[in-house]
C-alpha cells in the first residue's frame, strides 16, 4: 500500500512538472508583452531560483563542493538549454518549438555513443529513423524547393540547439554520477544566469532589470518559486518510476502546450506538425531502449 501511494505521488509529481512546462510559455509571453524582455525574465527567475535553492540545500553546499572539469560544460549545456527554450517560446509557435526541442533523444543517442561509449540497440536505430521522419514532417512546408527553406527562423534554431544542449547536459550529468543533485541543479541556474546576463550586456540592456514594474515582479517571483519546486518534485518522480514511464508522462507537456496554445493564443497546428508530433511521441516512448550501456559502466537496478 505504501509503495502504491509512493508511485501515485511520483506520477502526480511528473504530471505537475509536465503541466508547468507546458504552460511556461504563457507568463514569459505575458511579461514580454508588458515590456519585460525574455532575457530579463530569465535572469531574474533563475536568480530567484538559485537564491532559494542555496537556502533550501544549504546543508549540501556547506559540506563543500569540489570543482570537477565536467561542471563547466554541464553549466553551459543546461544553461543554454533553458535560456534558448524560453527565448524560442516567445519568438515562435509554441507547438513547433516544443516538437523541434523534443528531437533531443536523437542527439542523446549520438552523444552517448561519443562520450559514454554506449552502443545503439536495434530499437535505437528504429527510434532514430522515426525521429528523423518526424523532423522532416515538421520542417516540410510548401515551396521548400523554391527558396522557402526550412530552419529559416530564429526560433527554429533556438529550439533545435536547445534540444541538443539538453541532450549534452543529460549525458554529462550521467557521466558525473557522483555529483549531488543540488550541485547539478546549481549548474542549471548558473548557466542561465550566465547566458541571460551576457545577452543583456551585449545589448546594453542590463539596467532594464531595475525598471521592471511591480506587478511583473510578482509574476517573476512566482515563476522562480515554481521553477524551484518543479525541479525538486520532478526529481522525486524520476527517482521512483521506470525511465519509460517517466518519458511517457513528460511527453504530456506537448499535449498541455498544444491545448493551451490553441485555446489561449489561437495557434493552429499544420498537418505536417501533427504527423511529426505523433512520430516524435512514438519514438519518445521507446527512447529508454535506444542504447546498450558501455562495458565500463555499471547498470543501476
Amino acid at each position: 500500500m505504501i509503495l502504491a501511494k509512493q508511485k501515485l505521488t511520483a506520477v502526480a509529481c511528473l504530471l505537475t512538472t509536465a503541466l508547468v512546462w507546458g504552460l511556461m510559455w504563457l507568463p514569459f509571453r505575458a511579461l514580454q508583452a508588458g515590456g519585460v524582455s525574455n532575457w530579463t525574465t530569465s535572469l531574474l527567475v533563475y536568480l530567484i531560483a538559485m537564491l532559494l535553492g542555496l537556502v533550501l540545500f544549504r546543508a549540501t553546499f556547506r559540506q563543500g563542493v569540489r570543482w570537477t572539469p565536467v561542471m563547466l560544460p554541464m553549466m553551459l549545456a543546461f544553461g543554454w538549454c533553458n535560456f534558448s527554450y524560453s527565448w524560442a517560446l516567445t519568438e515562435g509557435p509554441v507547438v513547433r518549438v516544443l516538437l523541434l526541442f523534443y528531437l533531443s533523444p536523437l542527439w542523446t543517442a549520438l552523444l552517448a555513443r561519443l562520450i559514454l561509449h554506449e552502443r545503439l540497440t536495434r530499437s535505437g536505430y528504429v527510434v532514430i529513423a522515426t525521429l528523423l521522419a518526424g523532423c522532416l514532417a515538421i520542417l516540410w512546408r510548401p515551396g521548400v524547393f523554391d527558396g522557402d527553406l526550412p530552419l529559416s527562423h530564429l526560433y527554429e534554431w533556438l529550439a533545435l540547439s536547445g534540444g541538443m544542449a539538453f541532450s549534452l547536459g543529460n549525458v554529462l550529468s550521467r557521466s558525473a554520477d557522483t555529483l549531488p543533485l543540488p550541485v547539478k541543479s546549481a549548474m542549471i541556474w548558473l548557466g542561465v544566469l550566465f547566458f541571460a546576463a551576457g545577452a543583456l550586456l551585449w545589448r546594453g540592456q542590463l539596467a532594464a532589470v531595475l525598471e521592471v514594474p511591480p506587478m511583473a515582479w510578482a509574476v517573476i517571483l512566482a515563476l522562480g518559486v515554481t521553477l524551484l519546486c518543479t525541479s525538486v518534485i520532478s526529481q522525486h518522480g524520476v527517482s521512483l518510476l521506470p525511465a519509460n514511464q517517466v518519458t511517457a508522462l513528460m511527453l504530456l507537456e506537448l499535449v498541455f502546450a498544444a491545448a493551451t496554445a490553441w485555446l489561449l493564443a489561437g495557434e493552429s497546428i499544420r498537418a505536417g506538425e501533427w504527423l511529426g508530433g505523433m512520430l516524435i511521441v512514438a519514438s519518445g516512448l521507446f527512447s529508454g531502449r535506444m542504447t546498450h550501456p558501455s562495458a565500463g559502466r555499471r547498470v543501476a537496478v
Side-chain angles (χ1 to χ4, degrees), residues 18 22 95 98-99 102 250-259 277 280-281:
V95 174
L98 278 168
L99 290 176
Y102 265 97
M250 288 305 298
L251 282 170
L252 288 173
E253 179 185 343
L254 288 168
V255 178
F256 295 138
I280 289 173
V281 169

Side-chain angles (χ1 to χ4, degrees), residues 56-100:
L56 183 63
F57 302 114
R58 58 186 178 278
T60 300
F61 291 109
R62 279 178 180 174
Q63 294 173 0
V65 178
R66 183 180 178 184
W67 179 263
T68 59
V70 74
M71 293 170 70
L72 178 59
M74 189 187 302
M75 183 193 79
L76 295 175
F78 279 133
W80 178 252
C81 159
N82 287 270
F83 178 68
S84 65
Y85 176 76
S86 58
W87 185 3
L89 287 175
T90 60
E91 294 284 338
V94 173
V95 174
R96 191 172 179 85
V97 168
L98 278 168
L99 290 176
L100 291 172

